[in-house]
């Protein structure tokens, strides 16, 4: 008679003879709907902002539209500056307050639901994701940077974030307010639009290179270069919602790890704490084993039992990210902290000469 000890592997094989398959997952369709809605919102804001700028550039002729404050979501540095002013003075700055509130909304989303901002809301993340999918279609697989290079490259976005934090940290709240009140600070949004409208040769080459790289190598911009994503990743460290694997139900097929765009070892971990996790739920969508993988609330001691896990459904996730976003925007509007407080006469003077407004520190 054999006295061979029962190993973990043999236990697994004996314990899981039948595997119940899960119902088709709708997380990716739901996420795509939210991504498209936010992409459309950004196109709308961009078009309205363009018309607003053109109105002033034409000396008050053409279609007069109000300035869409939501465009300040594209001013993350202004958002960080204003966050410092709010924290140190208790007052919401008058210039670009929407940048502050949008930053708060995105930080709140990350602090509750991992880096969901990146994979559910950010239009750059959406474009990057679908460029990657295009690359997969063309080349049949996703190219992943080897680990020895991937780790130092991932540090780049933290270096960029650190530079902004040091710069903003070295300024007092008063000097930040003063900076925002300069012509440069007031129309930094117009300068951003002009950057894309009148792009120089170098910028075109850099953006084209990044686009091609994103098709070939997965997630180049988000994974290695985006300081905003780095900030969201840091906020996501406190997120109570995480991807959790039930080792009792898991059959170790490895599909989840293969599907993960962040190359996380989902099939080996019990819960995903990594700052790389964007709550995209692609791992959950790929898992065919009932109760094996969920995006769920932080477990109490009893949560090792699968029946206590509180999974977040795709619809609940969509409601959560959109709900936080809307709640913060509505709060800012209701408290009159949404629109930048600049008289039309000042825009009339500054918008047509936006390209001449240089950074106050660069004279
Ligand atoms: S662990 Fe899952 S949710 Fe997190 S990034 Fe990977 S696939 Fe997306
Ligand atoms: S996809 Fe991942 S969690 Fe699901 S059964 Fe396979 S290894 Fe386990």
């Amino acid at each position: 008679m054999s006295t061979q000890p029962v190993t973990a592997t043999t236990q697994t094989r004996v314990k899981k003879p039948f595997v119940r398959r899960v119902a088709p997952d709708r997380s990716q369709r739901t996420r795509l709907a939210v991504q498209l809605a936010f992409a459309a919102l950004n196109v709308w804001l961009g078009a309205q902002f363009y018309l607003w700028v053109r109105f002033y550039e034409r000396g008050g002729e053409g279609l007069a539209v109000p300035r869409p404050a939501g465009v300040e979501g594209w001013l993350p540095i202004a958002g960080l500056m204003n966050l410092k002013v709010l924290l140190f003075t208790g007052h919401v700055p008058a210039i670009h307050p929407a940048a502050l509130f949008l930053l708060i909304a995105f930080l709140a989303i990350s602090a509750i639901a991992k880096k969901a901002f990146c994979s559910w809301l950010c239009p750059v993340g959406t474009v990057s994701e679908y460029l990657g999918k295009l690359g997969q279609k063309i080349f049949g697989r996703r190219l992943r940077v080897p680990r020895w290079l991937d780790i130092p490259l991932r540090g780049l976005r933290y270096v960029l974030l650190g530079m902004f934090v040091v710069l903003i940290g070295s300024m007092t709240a008063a000097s930040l307010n003063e900076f925002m009140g300069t012509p440069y600070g007031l129309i930094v949004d117009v300068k951003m639009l002009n950057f894309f409208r009148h792009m120089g040769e170098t910028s075109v080459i850099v953006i084209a290179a990044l686009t091609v790289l994103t098709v070939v190598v997965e997630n180049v911009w988000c994974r290695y270069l985006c300081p905003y994503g780095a900030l969201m990743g840091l906020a996501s460290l406190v997120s109570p919602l995480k991807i959790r694997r039930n080792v009792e139900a898991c059959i170790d097929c490895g599909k989840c790890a293969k599907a993960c765009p962040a190359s996380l070892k989902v099939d080996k971990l019990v819960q995903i704490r990594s700052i790389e996790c964007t709550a995209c739920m692609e791992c959950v969508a790929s898992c065919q084993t009932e109760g094996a993988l969920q995006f769920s609330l932080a477990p109490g001691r009893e949560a090792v039992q699968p029946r206590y896990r509180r999974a977040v459904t795709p619809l609940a996730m969509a409601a959560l990210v959109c709900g936080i976003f809307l709640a913060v925007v509505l709060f800012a509007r209701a408290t009159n902290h949404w629109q930048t407080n600049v008289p039309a006469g000042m825009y009339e003077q500054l918008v047509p000469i936006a390209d001449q407004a240089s950074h106050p520190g660069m004279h």
Side-chain angles (χ1 to χ4, degrees):
M1 191 178 138
S2 166
T3 55
Q4 190 186 354
V6 179
T7 62
T9 320
T10 53
Q11 267 184 345
T12 304
R13 280 194 193 124
V14 171
K15 203 167 51 184
K16 303 165 187 166
F18 303 110
V19 178
R20 287 182 63 190
R21 302 282 159 185
V22 288
D25 180 275
R26 302 205 191 288
S27 63
Q28 299 314 297
R29 262 198 234 168
T30 312
R31 190 164 68 86
L32 177 60
V34 175
Q35 284 177 312
L36 290 178
F38 271 80
L41 175 64
N42 276 278
V43 170
W44 168 260
L45 290 171
Q48 196 180 336
F49 185 63
Y50 175 77
L51 290 174
W52 177 81
V53 170
R54 289 298 293 148
F55 176 78
Y56 286 112
E57 283 178 343
R58 289 181 181 141
E61 282 179 17
L63 193 59
V65 294
R67 177 181 175 277
V71 83
E72 292 174 16
W74 290 86
L75 304 177
I77 301 169
L80 268 179
M81 289 177 155
N82 283 346
L83 184 60
K84 176 166 178 181
V85 173
L86 176 68
L87 293 175
F88 280 72
T89 66
H91 297 295
V92 176
I95 312 299
H96 307 315
L100 165 70
F101 280 101
L102 289 170
L103 175 63
I104 289 174
F106 301 147
L107 284 173
I109 289 170
S110 304
I112 294 171
K114 300 297 287 177
K115 271 200 311 181
F117 166 74
C118 299
S119 69
W120 288 74
L121 305 185
C122 177
V124 180
T126 303
V127 171
S128 177
E129 180 180 338
Y130 281 87
L131 283 175
K133 286 188 196 299
L134 174 71
Q136 197 176 6
K137 271 211 164 148
I138 297 171
F139 304 111
R141 69 190 191 98
R142 293 167 167 173
L143 208 74
R144 288 182 176 172
V145 176
R147 202 170 156 71
W148 62 266
L149 185 59
D150 177 60
I151 292 173
L153 283 181
R154 270 195 270 154
L156 276 177
R157 56 194 169 151
Y158 293 98
V159 173
L160 290 170
L161 175 65
M163 281 163 50
F164 291 126
V165 169
V166 168
L167 184 72
I168 294 167
S170 68
M171 295 170 76
T172 63
S175 55
L176 287 168
N177 268 334
E178 206 177 300
F179 173 84
M180 283 297 179
T182 61
Y184 183 95
L186 290 173
I187 52 160
V188 70
D189 45 3
V190 183
K191 290 186 78 70
M192 179 190 58
L193 177 72
N194 288 354
F195 168 80
F196 288 106
R197 279 197 301 173
H198 315 133
M199 226 185 267
E201 202 176 305
T202 316
S203 307
V204 172
I205 292 171
V206 170
I207 290 178
L210 276 173
T211 306
V212 172
L213 263 180
T214 308
V215 174
V216 181
V217 184
E218 187 155 33
N219 256 340
V220 168
W221 170 259
C222 303
R223 193 168 174 83
Y224 302 124
L225 296 169
C226 179
Y228 209 56
L231 182 63
M232 296 303 141
L234 293 177
S236 80
L237 283 171
V238 297
S239 168
L241 290 170
K242 288 180 182 68
I243 292 289
R244 297 175 201 281
R245 187 173 63 98
N246 177 1
V247 288
E248 298 292 319
C250 173
I251 57 164
D252 303 317
C253 67
K255 285 181 183 166
C256 49
K258 214 171 156 192
C260 177
S263 308
L264 297 170
K265 294 186 187 333
V266 192
D267 59 334
K268 300 282 184 280
L269 299 163
V270 175
Q271 54 182 352
I272 305 293
R273 291 203 178 94
S274 169
I275 53 178
E276 301 296 333
C277 178
T278 61
C280 66
M281 292 193 178
E282 287 203 31
C283 53
V284 179
S286 71
C287 180
Q288 295 295 298
T289 310
E290 188 173 40
L293 202 63
Q294 291 169 336
F295 189 60
S296 60
L297 202 59
R301 253 179 303 155
E302 76 281 20
V304 285
Q305 298 295 331
R307 65 178 177 277
Y308 289 112
R309 287 166 192 256
R310 277 169 282 173
V312 179
T313 62
L315 274 182
M317 184 65 176
L320 182 69
V321 290
C322 297
I324 294 173
F325 173 79
L326 283 175
V328 174
V329 171
L330 290 177
F331 172 82
R333 280 178 175 271
T335 54
N336 278 330
H337 289 128
W338 184 242
Q339 295 292 343
T340 283
N341 191 8
V342 174
M346 194 166 280
Y347 281 135
E348 214 171 291
Q349 283 177 29
L350 294 177
V351 172
I353 54 161
D355 282 338
Q356 292 160 34
S358 57
H359 193 286
M362 291 181 178
H363 290 299

